[in-house]
Amino acid sequence: MRDLEARTEVNRETIRVYMRHGLIPQPVRPKPNVADYDESHVRAVQAVRDLQRNSGLTLRQIKDVLSGQSNERRVDASAFHNLEELVAARMGQSGNPILLATLANQWPSAEADALAMAANGVVAIVQTRAGPALSVTDSRLVTIWSEMREVGFTEKLGFSPDILSFYVQPAQAIAEEEARRFLAATEGRISEEQAADMLQEALRLMLDFWGLIRMKVLLQRFQEHKEAIAQPTPRKKRVAGRKPA
């Protein structure tokens, strides 16, 4: 509890009130007089605290909002302050940084690839006491490229991590537009939990949609290339009195 107070800057009496109202989960109790809290408790306390401060809702109303049972009033836009934390946790993208040395134990080229990808803005390397590390998301980006290497995408054929930079700009543009449209349509109209539910499913579905669109266009380009090669080269007409070059 002392650690939870320090992480959230909310005193234990208030935290216990949140718990009695069912706004945060009960701790794990491995034995009497011992209560274990984790990151889900930190996020829950922070979310309730921000709603209480910024939306003007009572604890009963906050409980209704978080459970999606209240549509009587608009939720203040500030209720979305913790949306990225909720979505990251649900998608398994939150957690402690992963050391590059740990990745290199399984993928020998991971450190070199991470440095190259960081130089192009694909990932961000963070410095920890134990050494350079990556976020959960960035570590997965690096291991994806390691898996690409295993199936043949190597420097010998001209494939290096540098080519990944051309993904960054279009991905940023698409994500920024998606965020703008989503917030314009939902912020202040639904609870943070409802928004997290929608985004969790949308990320899964639209990743499939985006992948299928890319595959469709890629196969079309291969077909066009095949047809272009199959076309006979037109022969030049001979001019009378001249020898062919």
Side-chain angles (χ1 to χ4, degrees):
M1 178 61 79
R2 188 188 312 112
D3 294 336
L4 188 59
E5 285 181 299
R7 288 286 305 278
T8 61
E9 299 182 351
V10 176
N11 64 59
R12 66 183 61 200
E13 288 76 19
T14 301
I15 293 174
R16 290 191 177 109
V17 171
Y18 291 170
M19 205 173 297
R20 285 199 296 272
H21 279 78
L23 297 171
I24 64 175
Q26 292 292 326
V28 176
R29 297 186 181 276
K31 57 184 178 180
N33 301 322
V34 176
D36 290 339
Y37 301 90
D38 58 26
E39 289 298 318
S40 66
H41 293 90
V42 174
R43 290 190 294 271
V45 171
Q46 290 172 336
V48 175
R49 177 200 60 193
D50 290 345
L51 279 169
Q52 197 174 22
R53 286 178 179 176
N54 302 318
S55 68
L57 300 177
T58 66
L59 291 181
R60 184 183 297 274
Q61 289 172 324
I62 290 173
K63 183 177 182 180
D64 290 341
V65 166
L66 292 178
S67 63
Q69 297 175 3
S70 175
N71 294 314
E72 296 177 359
R73 58 172 292 175
R74 288 170 59 88
V75 181
D76 190 83
S78 60
F80 276 11
H81 279 179
N82 297 297
L83 183 59
E84 70 281 4
E85 292 290 336
L86 288 173
V87 176
R90 291 180 179 207
M91 300 298 292
Q93 300 304 314
S94 63
N96 295 326
I98 298 173
L99 295 174
L100 287 181
T102 302
L103 291 177
N105 288 335
Q106 182 177 2
W107 310 102
S109 61
E111 291 191 61
D113 288 344
L115 290 171
M117 293 165 74
N120 290 306
V122 179
V123 302
I125 298 175
V126 295
Q127 296 299 326
T128 69
R129 292 181 179 179
L134 297 169
S135 69
V136 174
T137 301
D138 284 354
S139 66
R140 179 56 185 145
L141 291 173
V142 171
T143 59
I144 286 174
W145 185 249
S146 295
E147 292 172 8
M148 293 282 285
R149 282 180 178 279
E150 287 198 336
V151 298
F153 288 82
T154 63
E155 282 83 356
K156 186 177 179 179
L157 291 178
F159 296 103
S160 73
D162 294 338
I163 69 173
L164 297 175
S165 60
F166 77 85
Y167 283 96
V168 175
Q169 187 173 354
Q172 288 176 338
I174 291 171
E176 286 172 5
E177 181 63 16
E178 288 175 332
R180 185 191 67 78
R181 293 189 179 210
F182 182 82
L183 292 173
T186 62
E187 196 168 28
R189 293 180 174 85
I190 62 176
S191 73
E192 193 171 44
E193 284 288 338
Q194 288 174 298
D197 287 340
M198 291 175 64
L199 283 175
Q200 182 181 4
E201 287 303 305
L203 285 169
R204 179 181 63 82
L205 293 171
M206 294 311 292
L207 281 175
D208 285 346
F209 181 88
W210 179 242
L212 289 172
I213 287 290
R214 287 177 56 226
M215 182 178 70
K216 179 180 176 181
V217 174
L218 188 66
L219 294 178
Q220 287 174 344
R221 293 295 174 270
F222 288 154
Q223 181 63 29
E224 291 169 2
H225 180 68
K226 178 181 176 181
E227 292 172 354
I229 293 176
Q231 290 292 331
T233 303
R235 298 180 63 182
K236 293 183 179 181
K237 294 182 179 180
R238 291 182 59 183
V239 179
R242 291 185 182 181
K243 294 181 179 181

